[in-house]
Amino acid sequence: MSLRYALIALLTGRPMTGYDISKSFSRSVAHVWHAPDSQIYPELNRLERDGLLKSTEVRWGQKGTKKEYHVTDEGLADFRAWMESPLTPQRQRDPAYLKAAYFDFADPASVREQLRQQQAYWQEHLGLLEATRAALVERTHPTLAARLSQLTEREAEPAVRYKVYAYDGLIARARTELAWIADGFALADELHGP
């Protein structure tokens, strides 16, 4: 259900084509809600069918057209209702932690390689999150900038600060993952030697 609201949230900034949504999604919303194009396009169709989005045909190339999606008043009302409803915490399902609990079944070299892969991922992800946070603070992130162009400064301030707050949490989580991985390397060295 959250993909629906992630897409509406993205479209509150400006109308976009499916292609633009996919690009913008990967640069912003995907940091908190991952979805491939194979899920995004069918959900856009459902949102339009449900009256939460409407589309208009816009020119594409010399002879083609594309759908450009707009949030309807009903879509904005539904989004606000979702934003104001309580959130039920989700139980964690993370294969990295499941595997770590059973590393005693793996060769120490395999354990270290898996830790290295996780470390490389989280280091890269942390860099991306920090760069995105900086763009939010500077108000240069394209998705945020589009939304801010429609807001007064009084409305813009919470829009920016809450987004930065969300990224602060994502950055803290990435740093925690990296610290946990470092502990994993130390444990492997303790148990099996360097």
Side-chain angles (χ1 to χ4, degrees):
M1 192 58 128
S2 292
L3 175 57
R4 158 177 297 235
Y5 296 113
L7 292 169
I8 292 174
L10 192 60
L11 286 165
T12 61
R14 64 184 168 91
M16 288 187 261
T17 65
Y19 175 76
D20 293 333
I21 291 167
S22 178
K23 279 189 351 188
S24 295
F25 197 93
S26 67
R27 288 192 312 251
S28 59
V29 179
H31 298 144
V32 294
W33 192 266
H34 173 74
D37 287 349
S38 62
Q39 291 176 354
I40 290 173
Y41 285 96
E43 188 62 28
L44 288 170
N45 290 329
R46 278 190 288 278
L47 286 164
E48 186 173 20
R49 183 195 66 222
D50 294 346
L52 305 179
L53 298 181
K54 67 178 179 177
S55 67
T56 55
E57 294 290 325
V58 294
R59 291 187 60 81
W60 180 64
Q62 292 184 347
K63 297 182 181 179
T65 61
K66 282 186 172 187
K67 281 185 173 183
E68 183 177 71
Y69 294 92
H70 309 254
V71 178
T72 63
D73 290 342
E74 184 181 341
L76 195 52
D78 190 55
F79 179 66
R80 286 184 190 280
W82 178 75
M83 286 300 301
E84 292 175 1
S85 65
L87 180 66
T88 303
Q90 301 292 312
R91 290 187 156 201
Q92 183 169 337
R93 291 171 28 177
D94 190 327
Y97 286 85
L98 178 61
K99 287 186 88 172
Y102 294 95
F103 271 162
D104 55 310
F105 282 87
D107 180 76
S110 176
V111 169
R112 286 187 178 92
E113 180 56 29
Q114 290 180 59
L115 291 171
R116 272 191 286 281
Q117 290 173 3
Q118 288 289 316
Q119 185 179 50
Y121 167 81
W122 283 107
Q123 286 171 336
E124 181 181 345
H125 192 61
L126 177 60
L128 180 62
L129 293 171
E130 289 174 333
T132 302
R133 183 193 187 279
L136 293 170
V137 169
E138 295 164 3
R139 299 180 178 204
T140 57
H141 189 280
T143 305
L144 176 62
R147 179 145 183 256
L148 294 180
S149 70
Q150 303 172 27
L151 303 176
T152 66
E153 182 54 36
R154 184 178 172 149
E155 295 166 324
E157 184 68 12
V160 171
R161 295 198 47 202
Y162 279 127
K163 283 169 187 52
V164 170
Y165 166 73
Y167 275 82
D168 285 344
L170 293 168
I171 288 166
R173 181 183 294 171
R175 288 179 178 155
T176 298
E177 291 291 337
L178 285 165
W180 177 71
I181 291 163
D183 290 346
F185 279 118
L187 180 59
D189 288 348
E190 179 186 329
L191 294 172
H192 308 291

